[in-house]
Amino acid sequence: MIDFLIILAAAATTADGIGYPSAATALEALKARGDVAISEEGGWTTADDKANRTLWSFTLPGHPAHPAAVRRTVVMENGQVSIRMN
């Protein structure tokens, strides 16, 4: 599990991975929006961006993969609903 999170952390540092240059930049941008619900639970910060059908998860300081972000977006692909995860 930790190896998987470390890979996610590495992917999160590229703009094509999550759409922001870093996990911290993404979290700050989401916090600045009034339509995104931010919460903390179980060592993670989550951001629910309903307008874009996206759920974000960010590690907190002290987590082995920090700083890392995971972006899950509901998309329609080939006529089927699926989740794209970056």
Side-chain angles (χ1 to χ4, degrees):
M1 177 74 167
I2 290 178
D3 290 339
F4 175 71
L5 292 173
I6 291 169
I7 291 168
L8 288 176
T13 62
T14 61
D16 59 346
I18 61 168
Y20 293 91
S22 70
T25 303
L27 181 56
E28 289 308 311
L30 292 164
K31 284 181 176 181
R33 292 179 43 195
D35 64 333
V36 177
I38 308 289
S39 62
E40 286 187 18
E41 186 176 333
W44 292 84
T45 298
T46 59
D48 189 358
D49 179 1
K50 291 187 187 309
N52 292 302
R53 298 181 197 162
T54 302
L55 180 65
W56 293 81
S57 300
F58 298 90
T59 57
L60 294 174
H63 189 284
H66 186 73
V70 179
R71 180 182 72 182
R72 295 174 199 85
T73 305
V74 177
V75 295
M76 182 70 91
E77 292 180 334
N78 301 319
Q80 296 186 358
V81 176
S82 63
I83 303 290
R84 181 175 295 140
M85 187 168 78
N86 300 82

